[in-house]
Amino acid sequence: MSNARPDRDAVRAQEIAAEQQYLSVLYAKLDALRQETTQRLKETLRDSGGPPQARTERDISTRMYTDRLTELSAVEHGMCFGRLDLDSGETFHIGRLGLFDEDNEYEPLLLDWRAPAARPFYLATAAARDGVRRRRHLRTSWRKVLDYEDEVLDLDAADQGGNLGLAGEATLLARLDARRTGQMQDIVATIQAEQDHIIRAGMNGVLVVQGGPGTGKTAVALHRAAYLLYTFREQLSKRGVLVVGPNPTFLRYIGQVLPSLGETGVLLSTVGGLYPGITATEVESARAAEIKGRANMVDVLHDAVRDRQQVPQDYIEITNDGEALRIDRRTATQARTRARRSRKPHNLARRIFRTEMFSALTLQVADRLGRDLLDRRDLDDINRELRADAVVGKALDELWPEITPQELLDDLLGSPERLHTATRKHLDDAERDELLRLPGSPWTPSDVPLLDELAELLGEDDAQARAERERQEREELAYAQGVLHIMEQDEELADEERLRVSDVLDAELLAERFRGSSDLTAAERAAEDRTWTFGHVIVDEAQELSPMAWRVLMRRCPSRSMTLVGDVAQTGALAGARSWHEVLHPYVQDRWKLAELTVNYRTPAEIMTIAADVLSEMDTDLVVPRSVRTSGHRPWTRQIPAADLAAVLPSVVTDELREVGEGRLAVLLPPELLAELGPRLADALPDAVIGTQPDDLESPAVLLTVDQAKGLEFDSVLVIDPAAIVSASERGLNDLYVALTRATQRLGIVHPDELPPVLRNI
């Protein structure tokens, strides 16, 4: 008995040494790949000059090698995290990318976690082993093996995950207890079975992932993006994947996850960032955002566009060549009717209106000169002269102007008269007052869906751009024909059976390939193109999106290949979702699938007990997710009179920072209180910042509203004035539920008045 422990320690040391040796082989392979790729990149960059075809190929190669180097560098930390020992005697190591032994018939040295052969690492259980004898979880620090955890999957083994069925429980809990850093970490080494089923679900159709706080919704969404790009690379490489988050701070928080999984070509954006050239960061009232997000804003914008298609009250008199011309109401109305009946967007229908009006004015001039004396060429000359007349053009522009979405929306929201005209059927006076603002005001995130809708209603008269594209395509086709001709002349045909280049590649196909070649990734091209459509769209915190925001995303994904991740119990936006059916029925009816995450990995049971009371008060049938762990820290409360908050709160935050140590603390306040106390607290606390910038999450303490904290997690959370959080919004209980569930370890509540009844059990 006395020698048992030393023997186990010796065996463990030998196992760690063996894993260390194998890890060294893997990193040697990684270094060799990096060196080879770097050399190829240098050779490519040295090769300058040459014809357009060579320069295009060089640009593509440069991008490819650069992306490959980025990928190889990103996966270095934690590159190998597991091993599968099979009944067959085979052993496979699992990691962030695939590595192969070229000298041994491309035997796998490391399986990519997304490969089908790696899936048992996440799904195998004692009851369904899938040929797995043992699953090993490796703990590493950069290139060093620290320890490992083995799960022996046979029917006599104890259930290692308890009633939650956790895989690699010790590794998972160690990861969950680790201090937060201000950036989200991937979960590739600890993906659980219910998460894996969602990550590897098919790409077609709409998949809704409903999950309570801490169930890993965001991590699942990001790992799903990486899995889809790996599995459906050919389909998605051209169109790309869009991941939509609630705010820039959130995007900064998750920004390192996909690169750590070897994917750098995904576009991360908020809805407010999907209109190229627009920076929409201005804050507005929740009520204004709710009004702008309503579905009936489509009708408001439609009426606003029609309001810019005017006719004279009686007539407009203008001077042409010293003679008076009249634009009368009847003629203008007929021209407007013809333009509207075309059902073309405003700026395209404008050409029809102007054509009709110039024709009518041409006849007016002809009648003055004597129409019977003029032929068709004379009428055409008159028409051209009228089109060149700036006075005539200005008069017609006032009736039917060419206008941009930005100009129209700014005019609409900055003019009481225009706003009343467009909204008289849809909004009341109080709602109009909420929307009215000064002309030239900065854009808000809720303006972007309106701008996008207006871009559809207005259209863009791209006749000149289209003609230029057609000219370029003709030149590219001629160039491709010349290339094929030279290639065929250079061929040395051995016999009649040999294929010519023209047998497998024609000039049009070659020209198309050159045209599609670009050193920009799909994500980079998509960021510059409002009309880009994506191969797949993933939306996190999807419950927060307004009906108008959904219209934007559905336009970006006509295939309806989407993953929507959220929790309707956490809906805080007034225009947000009350149910997934309400969101999706207008677009896909009932043709969508629901998957649920039920296990809470973030929030300790001590805190979740308090949050469960809040959830029970909401009008919802959602179930509280089950917490996998306890923290040993009971939530606490402290009452501080409102008059003393500014003076006492800095010491409360300082005390909590001392308890957190190297972790991260969030102080969540109602918006009004953040505006009042935030600057004073930030001045009094050198380690605290007001969390309005993405990099603020790396500070020891950050001051946020609940809305800004959505989707984030911290070691400790102080919730200030929960009663004000509840009363500040129609969905105040939802906001309180979000605030209580941001913590991974500790929760404190500071209240100037009595606690809300829903927190009575704390």
Side-chain angles (χ1 to χ4, degrees):
M1 292 293 292
S2 61
N3 292 330
R5 182 68 185 180
D7 288 346
R8 285 199 298 268
D9 289 345
V11 169
R12 193 169 195 84
Q14 290 174 359
E15 289 288 322
I16 291 176
E19 294 293 358
Q20 181 64 62
Q21 185 176 4
Y22 194 83
L23 195 65
S24 298
V25 172
L26 295 179
Y27 276 108
K29 180 65 175 177
L30 182 71
D31 290 339
L33 284 174
R34 259 202 301 233
Q35 185 176 358
E36 178 185 350
T37 305
T38 300
Q39 183 60 34
R40 290 184 177 181
L41 177 60
K42 289 179 178 178
E43 292 172 357
T44 301
L45 294 174
R46 279 199 299 265
D47 183 18
S48 59
Q53 177 186 353
R55 291 197 298 270
T56 299
E57 292 175 352
R58 184 176 63 252
D59 290 342
I60 296 171
S61 297
T62 299
R63 164 66 70 174
M64 179 181 68
Y65 293 137
T66 302
D67 288 347
R68 180 60 170 164
L69 282 174
T70 301
E71 175 191 357
L72 295 174
S73 297
V75 301
E76 179 168 349
H77 183 49
M79 180 177 69
C80 175
F81 50 78
R83 192 180 92 182
L84 286 175
D85 296 348
L86 306 184
D87 291 337
S88 63
E90 293 179 288
T91 295
F92 294 107
H93 282 76
I94 314 297
R96 297 175 181 275
L97 82 168
L99 294 176
F100 301 91
D101 185 357
E102 294 90 342
D103 298 330
N104 190 19
E105 298 183 349
Y106 282 87
E107 282 292 313
L109 297 172
L110 185 66
L111 279 181
D112 192 300
W113 68 275
R114 297 166 289 189
R119 196 172 191 190
F121 184 77
Y122 301 107
L123 295 185
T125 65
R129 295 193 296 117
D130 198 16
V132 177
R133 178 174 58 84
R134 179 172 62 181
R135 173 170 49 209
R136 171 168 290 181
H137 296 264
L138 298 174
R139 284 181 52 215
T140 63
S141 177
W142 293 101
R143 300 190 173 201
K144 183 178 181 181
V145 178
L146 301 179
D147 205 350
Y148 66 87
E149 174 196 2
D150 277 348
E151 295 175 273
V152 179
L153 303 181
D154 58 44
L155 294 178
D156 297 325
D159 183 3
Q160 302 210 18
N163 63 352
L164 293 178
L166 301 179
E169 183 174 11
T171 302
L172 172 64
L173 294 180
R175 184 70 177 270
L176 296 176
D177 285 333
R179 296 294 187 185
R180 269 46 193 172
T181 64
Q183 290 186 350
M184 184 179 183
Q185 304 298 311
D186 64 70
I187 62 169
V188 64
T190 57
I191 294 171
Q192 299 299 303
E194 70 170 6
Q195 298 172 327
D196 185 82
H197 285 299
I198 293 169
I199 289 170
R200 297 176 190 262
M203 189 177 72
N204 295 332
V206 176
L207 174 64
V208 175
V209 182
Q210 165 68 40
T215 53
K217 299 184 298 295
T218 299
V220 166
L222 295 172
H223 287 69
R224 177 160 169 74
Y227 169 77
L228 292 176
L229 283 165
Y230 174 87
T231 307
F232 304 99
R233 181 77 64 184
E234 185 175 350
Q235 297 98 307
L236 294 178
S237 60
K238 292 182 180 179
R239 303 312 310 170
V241 174
L242 170 66
V243 175
V244 177
N247 54 59
T249 302
F250 177 84
L251 296 183
R252 170 66 174 79
Y253 176 63
I254 68 173
Q256 293 304 309
V257 174
L258 282 166
S260 74
L261 298 174
E263 297 295 345
T264 58
V266 177
L267 178 62
L268 301 179
S269 179
T270 63
V271 172
L274 289 178
Y275 199 98
I278 293 295
T279 302
T281 57
E282 186 71 9
V283 178
E284 63 186 337
S285 71
R287 189 63 177 165
E290 183 271 328
I291 295 169
K292 292 178 182 178
R294 294 177 188 173
N296 69 357
M297 285 302 293
V298 175
D299 299 321
V300 169
L301 297 177
H302 182 266
D303 290 347
V305 171
R306 290 175 70 89
D307 183 46
R308 306 309 294 265
Q309 300 164 0
Q310 296 289 314
V311 295
Q313 288 291 337
D314 187 10
Y315 66 87
I316 299 173
E317 188 169 280
I318 56 177
T319 301
N320 171 252
D321 200 20
E323 300 288 340
L325 289 177
R326 282 193 174 187
I327 301 175
D328 63 85
R329 180 179 181 83
R330 179 171 176 274
T331 301
T333 300
Q334 289 176 341
R336 183 176 69 176
T337 300
R338 288 193 181 115
R340 285 178 173 176
R341 283 178 178 171
S342 72
R343 298 190 177 278
K344 292 183 177 182
H346 170 91
N347 288 331
L348 302 183
R350 173 176 175 269
R351 279 187 284 166
I352 299 175
F353 174 79
R354 290 171 68 86
T355 296
E356 294 292 326
M357 290 304 302
F358 279 123
S359 296
L361 293 173
T362 296
L363 294 179
Q364 199 175 134
V365 173
D367 287 340
R368 189 175 66 222
L369 298 175
R371 192 190 304 185
D372 295 341
L373 303 176
L374 305 175
D375 58 20
R376 182 74 259 172
R377 286 179 299 178
D378 295 326
L379 295 177
D380 291 342
D381 290 341
I382 295 171
N383 192 292
R384 279 193 293 272
E385 290 174 3
L386 288 171
R387 288 177 178 273
D389 191 312
V391 174
V392 177
K394 182 180 178 182
L396 296 183
D397 283 343
E398 290 175 355
L399 297 178
W400 193 303
E402 183 175 14
I403 192 167
T404 67
Q406 295 93 315
E407 291 168 341
L408 194 149
L409 187 59
D410 190 52
D411 286 350
L412 175 65
L413 300 180
S415 166
E417 295 78 16
R418 290 196 184 281
L419 191 59
H420 183 273
T421 299
T423 62
R424 60 177 179 267
K425 301 176 185 176
H426 313 289
L427 303 179
D428 59 32
D429 289 340
E431 291 169 331
R432 275 190 285 275
D433 290 342
E434 193 71 52
L435 295 186
L436 193 62
R437 67 191 191 193
L438 292 174
S441 295
W443 299 113
T444 69
S446 60
D447 288 330
V448 167
L450 306 185
L451 290 170
D452 200 74
E453 193 73 33
L454 283 171
E456 297 292 314
L457 292 171
L458 294 173
E460 182 181 358
D461 190 349
D462 60 350
Q464 284 188 328
R466 190 168 60 252
E468 177 62 20
R469 283 199 303 271
E470 291 173 354
R471 184 192 65 77
Q472 290 180 349
E473 289 174 4
R474 288 194 299 270
E475 290 182 356
E476 290 165 353
L477 179 59
Y479 176 78
Q481 289 171 336
V483 170
L484 283 179
H485 178 68
I486 294 172
M487 292 172 68
E488 286 198 334
Q489 283 189 332
D490 289 345
E491 284 180 329
E492 295 180 5
L493 301 179
D495 52 55
E496 294 293 329
E497 299 298 321
R498 182 169 178 177
L499 287 174
R500 292 174 175 266
V501 173
S502 57
D503 292 329
V504 294
L505 184 66
D506 60 26
E508 289 186 1
L509 180 58
L510 182 61
E512 184 178 345
R513 290 185 62 181
F514 285 143
R515 196 176 306 132
S517 299
S518 172
D519 61 344
L520 296 178
T521 66
E524 290 168 334
R525 296 198 303 273
E528 300 173 357
D529 184 356
R530 189 197 68 83
T531 63
W532 188 274
T533 57
F534 290 88
H536 193 81
V537 171
I538 295 175
V539 186
D540 201 1
E541 301 292 343
Q543 77 279 355
E544 299 297 328
L545 268 59
S546 69
M548 289 301 293
W550 281 114
R551 289 177 65 85
V552 176
L553 293 182
M554 292 299 173
R555 277 194 286 270
R556 298 298 189 275
C557 191
S559 68
R560 302 296 188 259
S561 176
M562 308 179 82
T563 303
L564 314 179
V565 180
D567 178 14
V568 291
Q570 297 185 60
T571 304
L574 298 180
R578 289 174 173 81
S579 73
W580 297 118
H581 173 80
E582 174 188 84
V583 167
L584 295 173
H585 190 266
Y587 303 102
V588 294
Q589 286 76 50
D590 295 323
R591 299 187 302 275
W592 53 278
K593 295 174 288 186
L594 176 67
E596 294 191 69
L597 294 170
T598 60
V599 179
N600 188 330
Y601 303 98
R602 175 207 303 144
T603 316
E606 298 95 332
I607 297 175
M608 208 60 214
T609 300
I610 306 302
D613 292 337
V614 179
L615 183 64
S616 66
E617 291 292 319
M618 299 183 203
D619 183 19
T620 177
D621 57 359
L622 297 175
V623 178
V624 178
R626 298 167 292 169
S627 295
V628 303
R629 66 195 176 97
T630 60
S631 68
H633 303 291
R634 293 181 59 188
W636 56 268
T637 67
R638 179 175 175 182
Q639 185 168 9
I640 301 174
D644 298 333
L645 264 180
V648 178
L649 202 52
S651 65
V652 175
V653 175
T654 299
D655 290 343
E656 190 62 23
L657 275 171
R658 190 179 301 112
E659 294 290 339
V660 174
E662 296 180 359
R664 297 293 184 270
L665 167 67
V667 183
L668 306 185
L669 306 94
E672 296 78 9
L673 203 55
L674 180 62
E676 177 186 346
L677 296 181
R680 298 165 67 179
L681 283 171
D683 289 341
L685 297 165
D687 290 331
V689 297
I690 300 174
T692 56
Q693 299 299 321
D695 291 340
D696 291 339
L697 295 181
E698 297 182 6
S699 300
V702 60
L703 313 176
L704 299 163
T705 65
V706 177
D707 183 62
Q708 291 169 337
K710 193 154 291 184
L712 308 180
E713 60 182 33
F714 306 88
D715 298 281
S716 178
V717 170
L718 293 180
V719 178
I720 312 300
D721 201 351
I725 291 175
V726 172
S727 62
S729 165
E730 296 174 18
R731 294 182 170 176
L733 282 176
N734 302 59
D735 289 338
L736 181 59
Y737 184 61
V738 172
L740 296 176
T741 55
R742 299 304 95 198
T744 66
Q745 299 290 338
R746 298 171 55 87
L747 172 67
I749 297 176
V750 175
H751 54 107
D753 302 311
E754 293 298 320
L755 284 171
V758 73
L759 295 179
R760 56 188 175 274
N761 289 332
I762 198 170

